[in-house]
Amino acid sequence: MTLADVGGMDEVKKRLEISFLGPLRNPQLRTLFGKSLRGGLLLYGPPGCGKTFLARAVAGEMGASFISLSITDVLNMWVGSSERNLHDLFESARGHAPCVLFLDEIDALGHKRSQLNSSSMRTVVNQLLTELDGVDGNNDGVFVLAATNAPWDIDAALRRPGRLDRTVLVLPPDKPARAAILEYHLRDRPVAGIDLGKIADATDNYSGADLAHVCETAAEFAMRDSIATGEVRMISQQDMLSAVRDVRPSTDGWFATARNVAMFANESGEYDDLAAYLKKRKMR
Ligand SMILES: Nc1ncnc2c1ncn2[C@@H]1O[C@H](COP(=O)(O)OP(=O)(O)OP(=O)(O)O)[C@@H](O)[C@H]1O
Ligand SMILES: [Mg+2]
């Protein structure tokens, strides 16, 4: 899988290209412009819109130098020794530089320190801050990609310069992106006479995961008939339209929360993209 498999997300891809993939491919220019190969990017947005999927695509672009870990797993797997293991994880990333270290569900760890009642959690957060700063080791060539649904729960210290200082909002796909996502999820399925443009029109507000679910549901309809009649029937436009009616967009709840944040907790302008999107969609 590569970035080409990710439908839409042009802004996100551009950012990745400028801040990491481009410099990685051009070592001479990197030296010339004094650009260090390090940094952190926080992907945030509603569930199912492709944050994890995108990270996997970056892995594909880069070959082997990709370490991916869900923070929930870090905390569950290594009770009591999370800091040590976090350190080992970063050490391994440094050893494999250039490397992307993907920390999924970072809100599980980065909860505002004031909210943490367990002091062991606090130690883990502090350890992550230390690792991001690279005090103990040189972070050159280590690019940290993190993802979350709840950036407002993340410790502000994690978002200071030199850490996860760049933020990209990953939104539900627009129409061309929806067509691309639908095409991707139908690529290995038997289809006949499907008008992707029409389906894309009918799925405004659907997340990538919702669209994947639409394709799966349509495939089920065609398979159900094929089993009943003993004759293979291709997935049709009608199957797709019925599936769209069955699958409801799942991002409404997230936007309800996000709306409050954009309205009442955006003094520093960090949620301006979100506010602009909500305004465009007339959600505020
Ligand atoms: N841009 C896209 N192109 C193709 N498929 C996509 C895209 N976005 C999402 N999908 C599909 O939706 C599924 C869910 O996406 P993913 O798990 O990356 O979402 P997420 O943003 O990480 O969600 P969560 O916040 O719940 O972790 C993917 O496995 C993929 O099948
Ligand atoms: Mg995810």
Side-chain angles (χ1 to χ4, degrees):
M1 221 186 111
T2 67
L3 282 181
D5 293 317
V6 180
M9 292 214 201
D10 294 335
E11 184 59 29
V12 181
K13 288 178 190 170
K14 222 181 326 168
R15 288 268 194 115
L16 276 172
E17 186 61 38
I18 293 168
S19 54
F20 195 67
L21 295 170
L24 188 67
R25 279 194 287 267
N26 298 281
Q28 274 111 355
L29 287 178
R30 211 164 69 219
T31 317
L32 179 67
F33 288 100
K35 168 106 174 68
S36 75
L37 246 197
R38 58 172 290 181
L41 187 71
L42 176 68
L43 305 171
Y44 83 96
C49 290
K51 297 179 294 298
T52 305
F53 193 66
L54 183 77
R56 250 187 263 137
V58 172
E61 288 284 321
M62 299 197 44
S65 322
F66 188 92
I67 302 177
S68 166
L69 213 76
S70 132
I71 290 294
T72 322
D73 290 345
V74 177
L75 295 174
N76 291 344
M77 258 182 331
W78 294 319
V79 183
S81 56
S82 303
E83 307 93 82
R84 171 93 232 133
N85 287 289
L86 208 51
H87 177 71
D88 291 346
L89 188 69
F90 271 81
E91 276 298 292
S92 153
R94 287 172 196 124
H96 286 90
C99 171
V100 169
L101 180 55
F102 179 58
L103 306 173
D104 209 353
E105 301 161 32
I106 185 117
D107 47 297
L109 177 67
H111 270 286
K112 289 194 173 97
R113 272 174 296 183
S114 55
Q115 291 174 3
L116 295 179
N117 37 22
S118 120
S119 67
S120 73
M121 244 328 216
R122 180 164 303 145
T123 331
V124 180
V125 174
N126 288 335
Q127 184 67 38
L128 180 58
L129 292 172
T130 308
E131 298 299 341
L132 287 171
D133 291 343
V135 177
D136 291 344
N138 183 359
N139 277 359
D140 200 37
V142 177
F143 190 82
V144 183
L145 204 58
T148 181
N149 294 139
W152 35 83
D153 279 342
I154 289 181
D155 191 322
L158 279 170
R159 300 177 64 178
R160 297 227 174 90
R163 295 170 184 163
L164 301 170
D165 49 5
R166 276 156 297 179
T167 307
V168 176
L169 173 58
V170 180
L171 287 164
D174 60 8
K175 189 189 162 191
R178 288 197 297 276
I181 293 170
L182 289 164
E183 190 172 10
Y184 175 80
H185 288 283
L186 291 173
R187 73 197 182 288
D188 294 326
R189 292 185 162 127
V191 293
I194 290 188
D195 183 342
L196 284 181
K198 286 220 176 86
I199 307 296
D201 274 330
T203 47
D204 201 17
N205 266 336
Y206 281 59
S207 72
D210 296 336
L211 294 171
H213 193 43
V214 165
C215 295
E216 214 153 284
T217 306
E220 270 168 30
F221 292 154
M223 194 173 76
R224 194 182 55 196
D225 283 359
S226 301
I227 291 170
T229 63
E231 216 169 291
V232 175
R233 180 169 80 62
M234 309 286 235
I235 301 169
S236 68
Q237 181 77 349
Q238 195 49 53
D239 292 322
M240 291 297 286
L241 291 170
S242 311
V244 168
R245 273 191 298 275
D246 272 20
V247 178
R248 299 318 307 161
S250 62
T251 52
D252 296 358
W254 188 88
F255 279 112
T257 307
R259 185 174 163 274
N260 285 329
V261 173
M263 283 173 75
F264 305 114
N266 189 29
E267 297 89 4
S268 59
E270 57 188 322
Y271 297 113
D272 281 354
D273 311 8
L274 180 59
Y277 178 81
L278 292 170
K279 199 163 171 194
K280 197 174 99 202
R281 302 219 65 136
K282 305 202 168 47
M283 288 195 242
R284 62 165 291 190

